[in-house]
Structures are given as C-alpha cells and as structure tokens.
Amino acid sequence: MEAFHKTPRQSLQPGHGAKPDFRPCFENEQAMNGSEPMGVAAGVIIVGAGQAGLSAAMELRKRGFADPITLIGDEAHPPYQRPPLSKSYLSGETPRDRLWLKPDAFYQSADITLQLGRRVVALDRAGSSVVLDDGGRLQFDHLILAAGGSARRPPLPGADQPSIPVLRTMEDADQLAARLQGAESLIILGAGYIGLEVAASARKRGLSVTVLEASERPLARTASTVLSSWFGGLHRGRGVDLRVNTPAVRIIVEKSASGVELADGEIVTADRVMLATGLKPNTELAEAAGLACDDGVLVDAQARTEDERIFAVGDLSRLPLKRYGRRVRLESVQNAIDQARVAAAAICGAPVEYDPVPWFWSDQYEIKLQIAGLTHGATQIVRRGDPEMGRFALFHLAEDGRLLACEAIDSAPEYMAAQRMIAKGVKPDAERLRDPAVAMRDFLS
C-alpha cells in the first residue's frame, strides 16, 4: 500500500469508542461546489463502508489505482464484520475491537478517505456527483454502490416502535444485547438465518425462546425442505418453541414489547420481542437516479449498471449467474468481497467475468451449516451421511446430472469438494455420491 501513498487527505475514521468529528472533508471550494479544479481527477466514490465497500477500495489500490478513493458510510464506525453480530458478538464472546476489518492507520497509509456518519441523499448522474446529507457535493469519475440493505420491518401494528429491535448493525446488536439483559423470555418473528442464530444465542443465555414463522417451514427462502425440517428439529430439541404457518397480526407494546397477537387471536407473551423478517436492499439512490432495479440494482457480470461509470456490489446488487440461468441477489460476505474486486478490476481496465459458485454458512449452537451453490433447478437430492448423527450432506442434482448445490452439516470435506464440482460442471454418479466410503476427492479426478 505504501506505493500509492500521497499527501494524505483528511481521514475521518474515529478511534474505537471515541466520538468522531463528522464534518465533510472538502479539499477546496471547487469540490464543495461540485466541480474539481482543472487537472485533478475526481476518482472513485464508494457509497457504503462495509465489507463490499472496503474490498473495492483495497482492490483498487492493490491494482495500482492512484486517484482519490472516498468511502462514505452512514454508521459512525469504520468497516467491520457483520456475521458475528447475531452470534459471538451478541453472546459477548467476541469483543467489539475484534470486529474491525482494518486498523485505523490502514486508511491513511492506503490514502483512502473515510466519511463516516454521513449519508448520500442523491445521485446526480448528469453532474457525475453525489449529494451528502449536509448539502455538500462530491464529484466522481466512477461510483460504486455498496450500501447493502436494511432490516425489514413488516407492516404490523407495533412493529415500527423503537423498543422492537432488529439486527443489522453493530448498534442493533448492542441494543438487542442490552434488552436481553435481565430478560427471561424472547419472541423472534422470523425463522431465517438471523432469527435462528439469535434463537441459539438466546438459548445459550438461558432464555425461553419462541420463534414465529409465517411460512410453512424455517429457512423457507434459503434451504431445502429436508434441511429446513432438520433445523426445525434441532431448535425444538434445544427447547425453542418454533411455530410455522403462524402469521402475526400485531405486536403488543407497553413500556417494552410484551407480546405478539397471532392471526387466530392467540396472544403469545414474552419479556422481549425482536424482528428477524429479512433484508431490504438499499436501492433508493439507484432508483431515484433512474438505474434499473428489481429487488436489487441490476448489474452485468462485471458488476456494472446500465451507466458504465456506476457499479453496484454486495447485498444490493442483482447479478446474472450463467450456470443457473437466472439473476440473483446474494446476501453473503464472500459475494460482497469477490464482486467488489470485480468492479475494481473493471475500473482499472482489466475486466473479468464474474460467475461465482455462491456459498454461505451459518453457526447455530455447536452446528456449522455450509452451503455451496443454489438449489434452483435441482430435480434430485442425494443424501450422504446420517442426519440422526448430526453430520450429513445433501447434494442437489440437475436433470442432466450436474451437481448444482450442496448443503452440508458439519461435513467440510463434502462442502469443499462440492464447490469445485459445481464450478467444473461435474455429473457425479448418485450411488457413489451417497456412499461415505467413496472419498470426495474421487469425484474430482
């Protein structure tokens, strides 16, 4: 990084725990008025100071990009890891200072300007600029949208109350942890990954937990029926009152949330209620600027929008996957990192085609779930291992025999081999795949 160090721009990263000064960093009056002085490159502006935004900035510098890079985030913190928020950070096992992706000194040494606690309120494509929440304007040569998503709040009476926590940011996790202190019972609306991970963390703390899911099974949007059923049994076996086909109609709010009214009139009570009802991609800027969006900002295989200067990466982008013949929005850390690098490569004039094998993971209790690929289009499931033993893998095959996905419970060899098999288009023999005596490496030879 030292090779790209120039006279440092003002960097607004706070000391951890210190309150930062959130004044905008304009180098001169021309920049404040939305124009750059003659001969000065506007550089790259990255909207979103999370994993995707930081990865894009780092890749630009790694590739020798020497023009200005400005990373704008609406949180007061420098980029940090989100996955531990619902697990080890919530439980207190991981301290805050272990969440930072880079130390403060990194941003100055890499000449990356941080604007923290700031929001971009408008994207002016014609003027090649963004407008900040104080009215200031910053020019760009290229723009990367990496603002991720926001926790959804369902349209239920009481769901918009500040006393009803969600879990997306560090502040959300801190609020939830504080509200769980002294509580004996918790209701979670939503049985996706966040809901089930929080349920596991709360059970470890000794809380009585009820999970209410409106659909017919947990993990309905992201896992196969077989895996959903297994996780339902896991949580019920650990004492969670997990109810499916159970839509809520109202959250009862007093001094704190004290209950949820169900569609059949039953009222379920608890000390605390939280929402885990999914993620809404932050596409508002793109939509207002006229960029094509459909449950995410539409991009090509280089993460580029219909405007060749503007890219979208991470949770808010919807990208094409050739091997699955569809567009998807991937809510995963690895996609945030890899797609951001692809955008940086394109900006640096070295475009690559991005067609990843998606992968995901979840830690619940002592169980690790790892998923490679997507089950969309699969017509056959091959099981390897014994679910009763808590260690097995589900292989999802297409009609032509290609492996499309693998859901692995504490089965790292199967998961790792499946990633490579999917990428290579392997058509494994189902009977051999089912047999644990056949080494996974044999399918790659």
Side-chain angles (χ1 to χ4, degrees), residues 302-323:
Q302 295 170 19
R304 196 187 304 266
T305 69
E306 59 194 305
D307 187 322
E308 64 179 15
R309 303 162 303 162
I310 301 175
F311 298 77
V313 299
D315 291 353
L316 64 65
S317 86
R318 193 169 184 86
L319 65 148
L321 295 183
K322 290 182 180 179
R323 65 171 48 84

Side-chain angles (χ1 to χ4, degrees), residues 103-245:
D104 285 351
F106 165 81
Y107 299 97
Q108 183 172 357
S109 68
D111 194 19
I112 297 171
T113 299
L114 289 183
Q115 293 235 26
L116 301 177
R118 305 304 306 273
R119 287 189 309 110
V120 174
V121 297
L123 164 57
D124 178 2
R125 291 169 59 189
S128 299
S129 64
V130 296
V131 181
L132 300 178
D133 48 7
D134 68 344
R137 187 179 290 261
L138 297 175
Q139 298 293 130
F140 64 81
D141 295 319
H142 290 92
L143 177 70
I144 300 176
L145 300 174
S150 302
R152 291 183 186 273
R153 286 186 178 269
L156 299 177
D160 59 348
Q161 296 297 311
S163 60
I164 308 297
V166 294
L167 184 51
R168 175 62 180 170
T169 68
M170 189 182 295
E171 280 76 13
D172 292 337
D174 290 342
Q175 178 191 6
L176 178 58
R179 292 188 58 75
L180 293 182
Q181 289 291 337
E184 296 183 357
S185 56
L186 171 68
I187 296 172
I188 301 171
L189 267 65
Y193 288 123
I194 295 295
L196 295 185
E197 287 169 0
V198 172
S201 296
R203 286 298 296 144
K204 286 182 180 180
R205 296 171 69 137
L207 275 71
S208 173
V209 178
T210 300
V211 178
L212 305 176
E213 172 57 50
S215 66
E216 73 283 357
R217 58 189 176 91
L219 301 175
R221 191 172 63 87
T222 55
S224 68
T225 302
V226 177
L227 191 68
S228 290
S229 176
W230 188 86
F231 267 105
L234 171 69
H235 281 272
R236 293 184 179 106
R238 301 300 174 95
V240 175
D241 181 7
L242 172 59
R243 308 188 193 185
V244 297
N245 291 312

